Amino acid sequence: MTRNLATALLLLVLPVHALPRERTEIPEKYRWDLSAIFPSDDAWEAARADLAKRVPSLESHRGKLGESAAALRAALDAIYGAQRELERLTVYATSRSDEDLRAGRPREMKAAAERLAVDLEAATSWFRPELLALPEAKVRGLLGQDPGLAQYRFPIDDVLRWKPYTRSAGEEKILAQAGNLTAAGYSVDSVLANADLPYPEVKLSTGETVRMDPAAFTLHRASRVVADRDAAFSAFFGALKGFERTFGATLDQQTKAHVFTQQARGFGSTLESALFRDAIPPTVYKQLVADVRRSLPTFHRYLALRKRMLGVQKLRYQDLYVPMVEKVDLRFEPEQARAITLAAVAPLGKEYVDGLRAGMDSRWTDFLPSQGKRSGAYSTGVYGVHPIQLLNFNGLYDDLSTLAHEAGHSMHTWLAMRSQPFPTYDYPIFVAEVASTLNENLLLHHMLAQTRDDPTRLFLLGSYLDGLRGTLFRQTQFAEFELAIHEKAEKGEPLTGETLSDLYLKIVREYYGHDQGVTEVPDLVAIEWAYITHFYYDFYVYQYATSLVASSSIARAMRDDAKAGKTAARDRYLAMLRAGGSRFPIDLLREAGVDMTTSKPFDAAMAEMNATMDEMERILARQGKAAPAKAR
Ligand SMILES: [Zn+2]
């Protein structure tokens, strides 16, 4: 589970404080302990060889699922048992490899685990079609006959609901073969964007010349120097613009592939087809877009505040990535960061805090950067063992926030694995980022409660607002564009680079209030869609926005409860974490008190956003900055 886009981007602009040390120089307590997963690489190898031997025998259950409850259970026990062992092998090998990407043996172990995953997939690919070919009443009858099948009830329901969208055996074979062709648009886009596109060189104000590729653009669009961010903007988007027709053809191809799958399976729309995977009602998606649209005045209030904080006479699209409040020098030692995180999550109760502390003490986390270590941050886990967390802690507030974020994922995993059997412990992405962003929210409020000085408060509040822009508004703006292009494709309208750019620019200008003079959006912004790889995953990005809406709403309910001396909101939320993946995401969230089929959670998030801006304006008024500062 990777961190959400907005915070991941923050990580990229971190200054490097000191060269990372060799791993052997890092104190043991800041290195993860993998020994509970496997005591040694040799033990791992023995387990791998053992599973590799077992995998082909899974075929022996083929053709027997409908024979008896005992036969069904034997097949499920064997398949899920192999998957559980594969998880243990994969997480260990990946973690060992991430410790030092230069090391040969761990890299080979990781590749071996990946091959094993492919073999397991192939040896069990008959399972779904065979289950779907059985009469539903018969499967339900078998499930009722053996209590040992109870843990498989939800996963089986999840397969059975595909029945109306499953075709004959011959058609399914053709669909599977066609699956190899449906990623063509994405493949060509990746090669063009990452390898072949001639990104221009740009001379920065420091005298340094950089090649303005996607990584450099992400870094320099956030520059405090106006000329540098402008140069990054025109060079990068200018380069994309030169390939507008080609990017148009690749996205057109990908969108057509989504329409092909939708029509072949008989879904009413591409949106319905994509959201069916997690059983999300399409109304949730459309409502998010409508909620954001009607909240554009709140967004414009943020943009006006950003303009005032930056001290510019006119806010332009090029001015959106520089942090709205200049960074204050907040530094944290690792021990401080741990203590703050534990204190921040105190509203989640003793079990949560004790569990997290025990996890810190027993070294779930690889804390500090070292030579060759994988960059970024993530959380994963091994069922029946414990969560595993990778960080590259550098001591800044962003690093503290990342710790709280990943701790949210880890505790979700930990609570789910203690309450659920293996088949239902892993949770879907739609709820995953609720657990992580809720902790970020708790951290922010904890920090605000501890901080008296105005510059630091402004910095904390400003980072929160910038996060909302990147996660809630920007991702929903993408979601709206994505829906519009799919609707065009469903009607058989052609998508060209030019039509995509026209549509994109229209939406961005509406969001940013170009015509009302809120933000100037230059024509060149029209090509930005060509840089968003997420458009190749159908209807994915909206989940970043819905997760944040859900977590803001839960955090607010918990704060209201706390004032009234109640714990109902917290208890409902913890029950959701413990439920893992045992129900569909919308049902899980509803039980946590968040009904994503209504606008209520969204309105709670907007109330929080407005309260944040009220607070910033109060501070600015105190500082005597009632009028916008002069341009610089
Ligand atoms: Zn995350």
Side-chain angles (χ1 to χ4, degrees), residues 69 72-73 76-77 80 139-140 142-157 420-424 582:
L72 180 61
R73 186 177 163 183
L76 286 162
D77 284 350
Y80 277 98
V139 178
R140 301 217 178 273
L142 294 175
L143 284 175
Q145 286 171 29
D146 183 347
L149 283 168
Q151 59 173 325
Y152 301 118
R153 197 175 279 271
F154 179 75
I156 283 181
D157 276 343
Q420 297 295 322
F422 175 73
T424 53
S582 60

Side-chain angles (χ1 to χ4, degrees), residues 383-567:
Y383 184 78
V385 186
H386 55 67
I388 278 287
Q389 198 171 301
L390 179 137
L391 299 176
N392 278 282
F393 186 86
N394 265 315
L396 297 177
Y397 180 72
D398 289 341
D399 299 318
L400 174 60
S401 188
T402 301
L403 170 61
H405 179 107
E406 299 304 338
H409 288 313
S410 294
M411 288 307 292
H412 194 180
T413 303
W414 186 74
L415 289 165
M417 74 169 60
R418 282 159 44 108
S419 304
Q420 297 295 322
F422 175 73
T424 53
Y425 104 96
D426 196 15
Y427 40 81
I429 174 98
F430 196 88
V431 290
E433 295 302 332
V434 177
S436 52
T437 54
L438 181 101
N439 279 12
E440 287 185 46
N441 189 304
L442 294 179
L443 174 67
L444 172 77
H445 282 268
H446 173 77
M447 294 296 291
L448 287 170
Q450 306 285 312
T451 310
R452 292 283 159 263
D453 79 290
D454 283 344
T456 307
R457 291 182 69 83
L458 275 181
F459 165 72
L460 293 168
L461 296 163
S463 340
Y464 173 68
L465 290 178
D466 287 346
L468 284 179
R469 183 194 84 80
T471 308
L472 192 46
F473 291 96
R474 183 167 161 87
Q475 304 302 325
T476 305
Q477 168 212 312
F478 291 163
E480 183 171 342
F481 173 73
E482 210 179 341
L483 181 59
I485 66 173
H486 281 84
E487 283 174 348
K488 276 180 185 293
E490 285 165 26
K491 282 188 257 171
E493 288 177 29
L495 299 174
T496 65
E498 212 184 341
T499 56
L500 289 166
S501 291
D502 287 348
L503 180 64
Y504 189 82
L505 186 64
K506 178 175 169 284
I507 293 175
V508 177
R509 285 194 164 153
E510 285 165 3
Y511 270 64
Y512 285 86
H514 176 81
D515 289 344
Q516 298 108 289
V518 180
T519 316
E520 183 187 278
V521 181
D523 291 345
L524 200 50
V525 173
I527 195 66
E528 192 180 41
W529 59 268
Y531 154 68
I532 313 299
T533 325
H534 277 90
F535 292 142
Y536 292 84
Y537 306 87
D538 47 343
F539 302 107
Y540 186 89
V541 295
Y542 81 103
Q543 302 178 94
Y544 293 115
T546 50
S547 303
L548 198 66
V549 166
S551 66
S552 303
S553 169
I554 293 169
R556 252 183 111 77
M558 280 171 45
R559 278 190 284 276
D560 288 345
D561 261 12
K563 279 178 219 149
K566 292 191 295 186
T567 60

Side-chain angles (χ1 to χ4, degrees), residues 10-321:
L10 281 176
L11 270 179
L12 292 172
V13 296
L14 286 185
V16 180
H17 293 294
L19 282 176
R21 291 170 285 181
E22 283 299 331
R23 187 168 182 81
T24 46
E25 295 167 50
I26 306 277
E28 188 181 66
K29 65 175 175 172
Y30 297 127
R31 282 180 279 149
W32 56 26
D33 178 8
L34 303 176
S35 65
I37 308 175
F38 284 106
S40 66
D41 291 357
D42 292 342
W44 179 92
E45 177 49 34
R48 188 209 58 81
D50 188 53
L51 181 60
K53 233 186 297 164
R54 250 161 64 204
V55 164
S57 70
L58 295 170
E59 288 271 7
S60 69
H61 297 276
R62 189 173 191 161
K64 296 179 187 165
L65 294 185
E67 274 180 10
S68 65
L72 180 61
R73 186 177 163 183
L76 286 162
D77 284 350
I79 294 171
Y80 277 98
Q83 284 175 352
R84 184 175 165 181
E85 184 65 353
L86 178 70
E87 177 187 87
R88 189 161 80 111
L89 289 161
T90 304
V91 172
Y92 182 86
T94 306
S95 306
R96 287 280 289 113
S97 169
D98 289 347
E99 288 174 359
D100 188 347
L101 297 169
R102 303 165 301 181
R105 180 160 186 212
R107 213 170 45 224
E108 285 163 23
M109 287 164 66
K110 191 182 165 194
E114 283 163 1
R115 281 196 302 276
L116 200 50
V118 172
D119 293 346
L120 179 58
E121 176 79 30
T124 54
S125 62
W126 54 270
F127 177 80
R128 265 180 84 94
E130 186 175 323
L131 192 69
L132 282 163
L134 291 172
E136 191 170 334
K138 178 164 192 174
V139 178
R140 301 217 178 273
L142 294 175
L143 284 175
Q145 286 171 29
D146 183 347
L149 283 168
Q151 59 173 325
Y152 301 118
R153 197 175 279 271
F154 179 75
I156 283 181
D157 276 343
D158 201 16
V159 176
L160 292 180
R161 71 193 179 91
W162 284 87
K163 236 176 175 20
Y165 307 103
T166 304
R167 299 287 160 249
S168 70
E171 288 167 340
E172 283 294 331
K173 196 172 169 193
I174 297 173
L175 275 171
Q177 286 164 343
N180 298 323
L181 309 174
T182 53
Y186 174 63
S187 312
V188 178
D189 171 80
S190 302
V191 175
L192 177 59
N194 298 313
D196 287 353
L197 202 140
Y199 293 105
E201 302 219 313
V202 170
K203 192 162 183 182
L204 299 174
S205 59
T206 52
E208 185 199 358
T209 301
V210 294
R211 183 173 175 263
M212 202 49 74
D213 59 13
F217 172 65
T218 307
L219 185 67
H220 296 292
R221 69 179 172 182
S223 173
R224 283 248 152 231
V225 181
V226 177
D228 285 351
R229 56 187 193 248
D230 285 6
F233 179 90
S234 36
F236 183 69
F237 284 160
L240 295 180
K241 183 78 184 167
F243 289 82
E244 186 180 44
R245 277 188 299 266
T246 312
F247 280 118
T250 60
L251 191 52
D252 178 47
Q253 164 60 36
Q254 189 65 57
T255 312
K256 278 188 182 137
H258 298 154
V259 175
F260 166 75
T261 308
Q262 169 235 325
Q263 291 179 346
R265 297 222 168 271
F267 285 102
S269 66
T270 46
L271 179 67
E272 198 186 312
S273 164
L275 268 52
F276 189 77
R277 289 189 292 255
D278 283 326
I280 308 289
T283 48
V284 168
Y285 190 101
K286 290 186 173 167
Q287 184 184 279
L288 170 73
V289 173
D291 283 339
V292 165
R293 277 278 178 176
R294 83 182 151 80
S295 305
L296 288 180
T298 303
F299 185 47
H300 293 173
R301 181 185 171 196
Y302 156 78
L303 292 166
L305 185 59
R306 162 170 272 277
K307 177 182 160 201
R308 182 174 164 191
M309 298 295 299
L310 291 182
V312 292
Q313 275 177 329
K314 182 172 70 180
L315 187 72
R316 307 159 312 146
Y317 201 76
Q318 296 92 314
D319 304 321
L320 296 174
Y321 285 90

